[in-house]
Amino acid sequence: MDNISDAISVIAQSADTLFILLGAIMVLAMHAGFAFLEVGTVRHKNQVNALVKILADFSFSAVAYFFIGYQIAYGNNFFASAEVLVANNGYELVKFFFLLTFAAAIPAIVSGGIAERGSFTPFLVASMLIVAFVYPTFEGLIWNGNAGFQDWLHATFGAQFHDFAGSIVVHGMGGWLAFTAIYLLGARQGRKPGIAFAPSNIPFLALGSWILIVGWFGFNVMSAQTLNGMSGLVAVNSLMAMVGGTIIAFIVGRNDPGFIHNGPLAGLVAVCAGSDLMHPIGAFIVGGGAGGLFVVIYTRLQRSKKIDDVLGVWPLHGICGLWGGIAAGIFGQTSFGGLGGVSFMSQVIGSIAGVVFALVGGFIVYSLVNKVSSLRLSQEDEYIGADLAIHKIGATSNDK
């Protein structure tokens, strides 16, 4: 009997390791989605830079999270022999891989907001600092119970802040961090309020959206981190939020292809927090609300002289993430068909805490880096485009 029990335990450990590994691979693939969404949105002279930034950001973020960030968030490090690290089929290693793909999404989100005028190396340094210190501090606060914040919420309001797959921890943080960078950089040269630069390539934009949509089911469903914890409810809620965001963005955005392909992403951002609690109808409403929010706020941003958010990452991730964190405290309630176990006040406080943490952390990091080396390209480099100015090559052989 002991041999059978041991064999079952090994199989279960192996299954969990494979489960979270597949999730890590799916979320890793989402970074290609971030890349092509940006490539399709920016002007032709900045397409190479968009592709390079996403891969470089991911790589430098991996180093920062491996050596510093993961230990801050979870208290674990990898300064041990390989024999120790492969315990339980290397589950802790694969868990790191999975959570790294979340952490690296932060610079990828910021990249879309500061596109076409952000310096390359200074933003790489800033991304490393954020993934090493800012993001994991808040991540550990929420997902690992660090510093007693969650215990305080539970004691005061009857439930902890619930963010199953990162509406606030990942997307809200990324969106509001991007807001600080966007504000500090100012608008692009030649941009006039009310007149947006047209996307350079709608098929690439659509490809990026579809890659993100597919990968998001790994992002949400596999946030359970074990095979036993997997829930079909998360998958269907993600689906319903995605289509809800698409439909409302389609209606409110009046057939605009940029809005239609960002609508499903807005819905998926919003549903992350409560995807394991809501009824599918509630998820549809939450996703639809996010799709509408994105279109309305991004449209108004186009009239701003100071806030020039190229891909609309602040409304998409920041505002829709905030809505999702709070909405989990509404549609997660049993009175709205949810599974319960959430507190509206805890959701409000936890969501606002994420916004404040991102704003303060972002202003500190970006201001410090900017003092050492300018976060913005020179006027000449911005004029000729980041592709030629930074990488000395254009997207096609005809570029000079």
Side-chain angles (χ1 to χ4, degrees):
M1 291 296 292
D2 288 341
N3 290 337
I4 295 175
S5 178
D6 290 343
I8 293 174
S9 178
V10 169
I11 292 171
Q13 290 170 1
S14 299
D16 287 342
T17 301
L18 178 60
F19 175 73
I20 198 171
L21 174 61
L22 293 174
I25 293 169
M26 290 182 71
V27 183
L28 175 62
M30 290 177 70
H31 288 262
F34 283 121
F36 279 98
L37 192 69
E38 185 171 337
V39 168
T41 305
V42 298
R43 287 171 290 177
H44 187 78
K45 61 184 180 180
N46 296 295
Q47 289 182 327
V48 172
N49 182 244
L51 291 169
V52 173
K53 278 193 299 179
I54 300 300
L55 183 55
D57 275 337
F58 185 92
S59 300
F60 281 88
S61 295
V63 173
Y65 198 64
F66 182 88
F67 286 104
I68 303 172
Y70 190 72
Q71 184 170 350
I72 289 176
Y74 300 101
N76 296 330
N77 62 63
F78 303 105
F79 301 109
S81 68
E83 183 179 0
V84 173
L85 296 179
V86 297
N88 298 323
N89 300 99
Y91 178 82
E92 191 67 30
L93 290 170
V94 179
K95 179 183 176 181
F96 156 78
F97 180 15
F98 180 66
L99 293 171
L100 162 66
T101 60
F102 282 51
I106 302 294
I109 292 168
V110 174
S111 173
I114 56 93
E116 301 201 329
R117 78 277 198 203
S119 295
F120 187 61
T121 302
F123 267 103
L124 274 181
V125 173
S127 295
M128 288 188 71
L129 292 173
I130 285 169
V131 173
F133 299 105
V134 179
Y135 169 75
T137 301
F138 188 73
E139 177 190 16
L141 204 70
I142 303 304
W143 283 346
N144 199 48
N146 296 350
F149 179 65
Q150 290 282 36
D151 291 337
W152 174 76
L153 288 175
H154 187 273
T156 307
F157 302 107
Q160 296 184 349
F161 173 61
H162 187 88
D163 192 1
F164 179 71
S167 287
I168 295 295
V169 175
V170 179
H171 300 287
M173 284 286 290
W176 288 93
L177 281 164
F179 180 85
T180 65
I182 292 163
Y183 180 82
L184 289 171
L185 281 179
R188 288 166 288 176
Q189 292 181 36
R191 177 185 176 271
K192 297 179 180 179
I195 303 176
F197 294 121
S200 61
N201 193 309
I202 294 297
F204 275 165
L205 187 156
L207 174 63
S209 176
W210 271 108
I211 293 172
L212 285 166
I213 288 169
V214 173
W216 222 298
F217 287 87
F219 195 102
N220 283 4
V221 175
M222 290 164 176
S223 284
Q225 298 187 21
T226 62
L227 195 59
N228 185 54
M230 184 181 66
S231 170
L233 182 65
V234 177
V236 173
N237 281 345
S238 299
L239 174 69
M240 294 303 290
M242 183 269 286
V243 299
T246 305
I247 291 170
I248 298 303
F250 168 77
I251 295 170
V252 180
R254 300 179 180 180
N255 300 327
D256 183 286
F259 288 143
I260 292 171
H261 285 94
N262 276 282
L265 307 183
L268 286 163
V269 165
V271 82
C272 284
S275 57
D276 62 327
L277 298 177
M278 299 177 189
H279 187 281
I281 296 175
F284 179 81
I285 295 170
V286 170
L293 272 172
F294 173 75
V295 174
V296 171
I297 295 176
Y298 184 72
T299 301
R300 291 184 178 180
L301 277 182
Q302 297 306 310
R303 305 169 193 159
S304 171
K305 295 181 180 179
K306 177 68 176 178
I307 306 301
D308 183 10
D309 185 347
V310 180
L311 266 68
V313 298
W314 174 59
L316 181 66
H317 298 273
I319 298 297
C320 292
L322 180 62
W323 158 239
I326 295 172
I330 302 171
F331 293 95
Q333 304 284 354
T334 54
S335 55
F336 283 88
L339 297 179
V342 287
S343 161
F344 176 72
M345 284 305 301
S346 291
Q347 293 305 118
V348 171
I349 292 172
S351 297
I352 293 174
V355 172
V356 172
F357 204 95
L359 288 175
V360 173
F363 273 113
I364 291 173
V365 170
Y366 292 126
S367 296
L368 286 175
V369 172
N370 192 47
K371 286 184 178 181
V372 177
S373 181
S374 177
L375 290 173
R376 181 150 187 164
L377 292 173
S378 68
Q379 289 188 349
E380 181 181 356
D381 286 348
E382 187 178 341
Y383 177 76
I384 65 175
D387 292 359
L388 295 179
I390 298 172
H391 309 291
K392 313 304 180 187
I393 190 169
T396 65
S397 59
N398 295 325
D399 297 331
K400 298 181 180 179

